[in-house]
Amino acid sequence: MAMATYSRLADNIPRQERILVIYTGGTIGMRQEAQGLAPSGDFASRMDSALARLSLAQRQALPSYEVISYATLIDSSAATPLTWQQLASDINERLMAYSGFVIIHGTDTLSWTAASLAYQLLGLDRPVVLTGSMLPLEAPGSDALDNLHGALQFAANPALQEVAIYFAGQLLRGTRTIKHHSQALKAFASPNYPLLGERVGDDFVYYPSRGLGLQQRGAPRFELPDYRLVDRGEIVRITLWPGISAWQLGTWLSDSRVKGALLELWGAGNLPDDPSLLNVLAKASGEGKLLAAISQCQQGSIHLGAYAAGHGLSDAGILSGDDMTPEAAFTKLAHLLAQPLSLDDQRQRFLTPLVGER
């Protein structure tokens, strides 16, 4: 799927000490066309030209890197579980050849890709940093150069041993990040976990006590299942609304093609006082479908049964997503359902923190 490889800086440096940049598309590489912004190629040389605008000291501090560009560039709104699988496979194939990775990705689903990669690259022992931009690389006032600069700097830090997102001067855990603004340059947030690092002046400061590096043991134990098993709508995302009815919920969950569902409940885990809703959930769970719940609130977590309005959810087989983001919870369901695990194992692993997602 990847095409030309482009190298920059210090050819005498062994490849194992270089960063691999994987360009998938997104706003950062787009150019204005008659119909609007569209993906554009030749990203490696454009990135090189942009980085040349840094100060001499900043350029000298850059790690050596190579760039590969996917033959088919996408707007990230077109990403699917197979996109996540392709990226994980590409990193796995090149893992020992590079000291770190930067993935350049559109912002719309960047946090979804980051969360999925974290589960697939379980036990990761080097940095994988995703970034993009809200404005194209050559646009006036673009945030692209700053984001590329920071992503490269953190990808060269061996203490960072997980999938992270660098954006607007902040390094965020991949499984804790959401896109919370559609236009602002500071488009991403980590509502329930502190920053892994940040830019302070010209320094890129990593906070190791917040990272997974201190917890990793042994060699990477990647899990790279076949995501074709969850690429055709087998998992649904259902956000409650006032007036939701059992027949509506049942329309989704009774479909034999559905293997799992993420429910987004109110507050600490509440749903309407309607026994028929619980009956639909209990029936689906009893059929072996993996059902999990999180809060619609961006901050805080759910506590199933803390209020009478949420009583019975646990008995109906609903798994608590604690303080997980929708991206982390959904991609975790996908990752577990793509593997040949028993329902009990799937349920237990969902409730177990795997990569700092809960």
Side-chain angles (χ1 to χ4, degrees), residues 292-341:
I294 59 172
S295 175
Q296 292 184 23
C297 301
Q298 288 188 357
Q299 290 187 285
S301 61
I302 64 168
H303 303 279
L304 300 183
Y307 290 83
H311 182 72
L313 283 167
S314 293
D315 291 340
I318 309 305
L319 301 171
S320 171
D322 195 21
D323 61 351
M324 294 171 73
T325 65
E327 295 92 326
F330 187 96
T331 55
K332 190 172 187 179
L333 288 175
H335 185 67
L336 296 175
L337 287 166
Q339 299 183 65
L341 301 170

Side-chain angles (χ1 to χ4, degrees), residues 128-204:
V128 172
V129 182
L130 287 85
T131 196
S133 67
M134 299 300 289
L135 296 171
L137 187 61
E138 291 87 2
S142 174
D143 54 332
L145 174 56
D146 287 343
N147 289 345
L148 288 172
H149 182 200
L152 283 168
Q153 291 286 9
F154 278 114
N157 188 333
L160 177 63
Q161 298 181 8
E162 60 182 286
V163 178
I165 292 171
Y166 181 81
F167 217 91
Q170 297 183 325
L171 186 71
L172 313 166
R173 172 163 290 163
T175 54
R176 290 286 191 161
T177 307
I178 60 171
K179 184 179 180 183
H180 73 142
H181 204 292
S182 64
Q183 294 174 299
L185 299 185
K186 192 174 180 180
F188 291 88
S190 178
N192 289 315
Y193 198 78
L195 301 179
L196 294 179
E198 60 188 321
R199 180 172 183 171
V200 181
D202 280 338
D203 295 324
F204 295 87

